[in-house]
Every structure is written in C-alpha cells, then in structure tokens.
Amino acid sequence: MNDLRKTQESFARKAQAQPNHRFGDLYHLICQADWIREALQAVLRNAGSRTAGIDGLSRKHLSDAKAQTAFIEGLRQELHNGTYRARPVRRHWIPKANGKQRPLGIPTLKDRVVQMELKMLLEPIWESDFLDCSNGFRPGRRTMDCLALCRSRITTQNKYLWVIEGDIKGCFDHVQHAILMKLVRRRVKDERINGLIEQMLKAGLLEGGLFQHTPEGTPQGGILSPLLANIYLHEFDQWWWDQYGKLSLKEKAKRRQAGVGNCLLTRYADDFILLCNGPRPEVERIRDEVKQVLWDKLRLELSMEKTRITHVTEGFDFLGFHLEWKLPTTGNPWLRVTPSHKSIARFKRTIKDMTRRNTLYQAPLDKVRSLNRVMQGWNRYYEYANATQDASKLTFWANRRLFVWLRKRHKRGAGWVMRTFRRREKRGRTERWNLGVKDEAGGMVFLYQLTDLPRRAYHQRKHPHPYLETTNPPGLLDTAFPHFWDGHTDIEQATWAQLRLAVLERDNHRCVVCGSTSQLHVHHLKARRQGGTHQLDNLQTLCAICHAQTSTYGRPCRTGSTHSRRAG
C-alpha cells in the first residue's frame, strides 16, 4: 500500500472516530508530484479527457511521458506558489430524455486534475459522514441499492404503500455557494483548500465567446461537482435521519399505533423518494415538511407540480425503473420492477437514430459493434429487473432495425441479406441463427441479444467504508499494478479492471486458443471457487466461443468483464 492510499485511509479513520474533527494542513498534499501524477492518470483514463476546455488542451497533447512530466511540474509549481487560478468552464448543451437540453460544463484539463486531487482528498472524509440513504455518485454504490430498499419495505408486513416522488427544481443550478462552503468548513479547516473550491464554484463559464458569472450552482460535468452536491444534500439526509431514520423499533411501533406512520428515504443525487406507511393526510404533511426543510436549510425549491404522492398499486417511476405493487387473484402480492416506458422509448429512439438512412455510409462491422455497446449497456442496467418480456420484444425489434439497415445500405433484397449476414452462432453446446459480420481477423461479430443475459435478484447489502475495506481478495493489490483508486467503484472492481487489461496486453488481445480478436474474455485456468487466484499465471485470454466451452463458463460477473458472461 503506497503513501497516498495510507493517507486516504488515515483520513477516513479519523473522520469516522471524530465526527466533529476539522482537518487542517491539507494543501501540501495536493502540491506533491505523486498526487498530481495519480490524479492526471485518473483524468486521462476517462473518455472525457478527449474533449478540451477553453484552453484547447486535451488528452492527445499529453500522450507521451515527457509532456506529462512537464504538465505535472508546471501544475506543482503553480499550486506551491499560490499562482494557480481556476479557468471558466466551457458550456455545452446535451439533450435530455424529455426533449429539453441539459447544460454541461467542461473544465480545462488542468482544472480537472486539481478537482480530482480535491476529490481524492475530501471523499475519504465525507464517506465517513454520509448516510446509507444516499447512493448517488458514491464508490461501490448503484441505483439498485435504492430499489433494494423498495423491495424490502413495500411488503404486506411493513406496509410502506405510499410514495412521495421528490422533484427539486434545478437542484444543481441553485446550490448556494455560501451554504455549501459553510458545510465544507465543518470538516475542512485549511482555508487554502476551501479557497480552491470557491475558485471553481465562482470561475464562471464561457458560451459562444461570452463570459457569464456563476453566483450559484455547481457545474454539471466537473469531477468535484457530484461530491459537492452530496455534501450539500447531506443536510437533507441528516434532517430525515434525526426526525424519522434513527427512531427505534418501539418508537416506530408507537407511531403506527397512533395512526401517524413512519417514512424511509432513499436518494440518488437529486432524485429521491420517501416511502410512508401512514395514512394519506400524514403523507401530505410529510411532503409539505420536506418542502419547508429544503427551502429553510438549503434554499432549494420542491416542485409541487412534479412531486407526486402515489399509492404503490398505481405504480411509480424511479431512476428509469417502473415499480408497481401487484395484487394477484391467487398467490401473494409482490413488487414488480420493470424498465420504465420512458426508458424503453429512449432505447428504441437511440437504436432508431443509429440505423437511419444518414448512417448508411458506415461499415456493417462498425454498425454491429456500436449497436452491441448500446444494447449491452442497457441490458446490464436492467439485469436485476423483471425485464425478460421487454428484452424479448426489444431484441426482435433491434434485429429488424439492423436487417432493414443492411437492405438499404447494400440496396439488395431480403433474400440476399439473409444469405450474406445470417449465420449460425455457437452458444456453448448450442447454436442459433443470428445476424453477424466478419471482423478484421476473419472471425464473426454477431448482434448482441438482450435475451442472453439471465435476470437475477439483487439482494440488499451493507456497504463498508470504501476507504477502509479489508476484504480484498489475495493478490489483487499486487505490486505489479498501481495502487491508486479514484473512488468511482469498489477497490476489487478497479484492480480487476487493471489486471484484466494487463492479461489482454500480454496475450496481444487475441484468444490463446483460436487467435480471434473479437469478444475477448479473461479466463481463470483454476476457478476462484476451487482456490484459484488473480495471479497472471492463472489467467488467459479467450474469445467468447472458446470461453463457452470451458467448465467454469456462465458464472455471474461481479468484477469488471464488459461482456455478458464472466471470466471463469
């Protein structure tokens, strides 16, 4: 374990042991070349580094070690001398699912590195304070952690049958800088660090060559912004915990007997719901209380038009899922979780846009690969939902879109397309017909089928402190790989991703059995359940077809394979 990791762990332990401690003398850490280097590598690994800020500097300008060394030394000098100044962000608009546009702020590469350093510095501290009801943009957490609470509480025993669907008007655009900095100063005493954060908040933005001041809000797209938003909304979480969350079972039972009821909060960034098991008038009172608390504490406005009170039998949408309490005529009631209608429509709109006439110039191989990326990503997001029926319908629809696209591109009939692109695809011991094209090495790349991913239950779990984890598998933190972890996922996933890349590079990104370069998996020669390790001599690269023929194929993936099956 290197010094950076030890420093993060020491901050986490102290913050956990002393909830009121204010950390000082932090600035010297971000001036160290090691911290800058690790932050730079984390920024360059992100695909967003290909996009430049207002200075025009992007990843391609730091492609060699010499340029990176000069960049690190220059930034170190600026931070050490106190001459560093945050630059305005470049405003870019991206479309939202509802047809509107979302503002995205693109900082300069230098500002992104400094923000990453601040994230590395502050996140271990605040992870000791954040509550379990908060799951958005936190290491090792996902949207399913929000839905797991619904599965466990919307039951005939608990009777959390009323839902308050919270909607905050322009949450990130209306973060008050004075309130936010007051909250940050509860934990950070070093004013040089606080000064850097204030610089980034007030740096302004450039749009169309015009400069605009930013008296409020956090730039969406900044590396530090999600952490700052969680610090801001932690005040709302804390209010819920003090009023409802920390009540004992006996106190909750008394409230139920009095006809008042209780409420549970789960939040993902600015999206939140409150589950209530009291009567509707009490639910309305809680909604009004939430509105007042958000305004009094954070100067945020709850949209009363969009904040609905819904009974679970009517169903409600949350984080792209539709949850509905089913009351069958036979059998027990159950909570059905499916992809929302909006999510399905957005998926179909994306596939339709990718297969329009104006894309006929693309090669079929590139088209299939791009479709596969979209379909695999959508499928992984809904892996734990009741999405079997939707997956079957969408698979048929996507196949038809590709089939029509191939006909239009080649200006040939349906029979010719079937004879040219319809092939037998091997799936372990079975085969099926599927649309596929040959890759550069002569192998086949088939269209991904949404029905290939088995649906399974997601079990609610207790989240350990991500910077204090001691349950890493043996061999994961080997000295051959960097120890730095940027906090986007848990340590096991991050180190497995690095290890997997090393195996692929060692095997020249080819299957060691047949030489294929498509759909590559990393396979354990001796399975983990049989005592195998993550050591390099126990790993090899296999294509999907060769991997399917191994005895350990098909075990669920938890640590980083990008395909629908896990490395054995």
Side-chain angles (χ1 to χ4, degrees), residues 128 142 227 454 477:
S128 301
R142 58 176 77 176
L227 176 59
L477 297 179

Side-chain angles (χ1 to χ4, degrees), residues 181-238:
M181 292 311 304
K182 181 180 177 181
L183 298 175
V184 171
R185 286 186 171 94
R186 288 182 182 177
R187 276 302 201 177
V188 180
K189 186 167 58 176
D190 193 331
E191 284 302 315
R192 291 172 296 180
I193 294 294
N194 295 331
L196 283 179
I197 298 175
E198 285 189 285
Q199 271 194 51
M200 292 169 182
L201 292 173
K202 299 182 181 299
L205 58 91
L206 279 177
E207 182 179 7
L210 298 177
F211 176 79
Q212 299 180 34
H213 290 284
T214 50
E216 61 180 9
T218 59
Q220 296 187 49
I223 292 173
L224 192 61
S225 294
L227 176 59
L228 295 178
N230 273 332
I231 292 174
Y232 199 71
L233 291 172
H234 175 66
E235 284 297 286
F236 173 55
D237 300 342
Q238 192 65 53

Side-chain angles (χ1 to χ4, degrees), residues 352-418:
K352 190 174 182 178
D353 289 342
M354 296 174 67
T355 52
R356 291 187 183 276
R357 287 181 178 271
N358 59 1
T359 66
L360 296 178
Y361 67 91
Q362 293 179 329
L365 177 61
D366 295 334
K367 179 59 63 181
V368 172
R369 283 174 171 168
S370 60
L371 289 172
N372 285 351
R373 283 193 292 270
V374 173
M375 296 172 71
Q376 285 177 352
W378 190 91
N379 218 20
R380 277 298 181 190
Y381 188 76
Y382 293 105
E383 178 179 3
Y384 300 99
N386 306 109
T388 302
Q389 187 175 4
D390 291 323
S392 179
K393 292 179 180 179
L394 291 174
T395 294
F396 176 81
W397 184 85
N399 274 269
R400 181 175 177 81
R401 288 296 306 180
L402 178 61
F403 177 79
V404 173
W405 184 88
L406 290 170
R407 283 189 61 187
K408 291 178 179 178
R409 186 187 188 279
H410 294 282
K411 299 179 181 178
R412 305 295 292 271
W416 182 87
V417 172
M418 295 287 280

Side-chain angles (χ1 to χ4, degrees), residues 46-235:
N46 192 298
S49 62
R50 292 177 297 187
T51 305
I54 64 171
D55 62 350
L57 188 66
S58 64
R59 182 166 63 187
K60 66 180 181 181
H61 298 96
L62 299 175
S63 57
D64 59 275
K66 184 177 180 181
Q68 292 182 19
T69 301
F71 177 90
I72 291 169
E73 181 58 26
L75 179 55
R76 191 190 70 81
Q77 288 291 342
E78 287 186 35
L79 290 170
H80 184 268
N81 298 333
T83 58
Y84 167 80
R85 293 294 180 270
R87 304 284 299 278
V89 300
R90 180 164 66 86
R91 170 66 63 85
H92 179 69
W93 295 89
I94 56 176
K96 295 174 64 175
N98 58 9
K100 298 181 180 179
Q101 290 188 316
R102 182 194 306 275
L104 182 69
I106 304 175
T108 65
L109 198 63
K110 184 181 294 185
D111 291 341
R112 275 178 260 184
V113 172
V114 176
Q115 288 189 36
M116 179 60 75
E117 285 193 273
L118 291 172
K119 183 177 184 293
M120 291 158 49
L121 191 69
L122 300 178
E123 191 170 60
I125 299 172
W126 284 98
E127 276 295 320
S128 301
D129 294 345
F130 291 152
L131 300 175
D132 278 339
C133 61
S134 169
N135 294 291
F137 303 110
R138 293 183 61 189
R141 294 176 182 253
R142 58 176 77 176
T143 54
M144 287 307 303
D145 291 316
C146 294
L147 271 66
L149 177 72
C150 298
R151 287 185 183 276
S152 64
R153 292 297 184 268
I154 301 178
T155 63
T156 53
Q157 292 79 21
N158 294 299
K159 292 185 172 57
Y160 283 92
L161 303 180
W162 288 103
V163 182
I164 302 174
E165 305 174 53
D167 187 279
I168 302 174
K169 290 184 179 179
C171 177
F172 299 114
D173 295 331
H174 297 299
V175 169
Q176 302 300 304
H177 295 169
I179 297 176
L180 175 59
M181 292 311 304
K182 181 180 177 181
L183 298 175
V184 171
R185 286 186 171 94
R186 288 182 182 177
R187 276 302 201 177
V188 180
K189 186 167 58 176
D190 193 331
E191 284 302 315
R192 291 172 296 180
I193 294 294
N194 295 331
L196 283 179
I197 298 175
E198 285 189 285
Q199 271 194 51
M200 292 169 182
L201 292 173
K202 299 182 181 299
L205 58 91
L206 279 177
E207 182 179 7
L210 298 177
F211 176 79
Q212 299 180 34
H213 290 284
T214 50
E216 61 180 9
T218 59
Q220 296 187 49
I223 292 173
L224 192 61
S225 294
L227 176 59
L228 295 178
N230 273 332
I231 292 174
Y232 199 71
L233 291 172
H234 175 66
E235 284 297 286

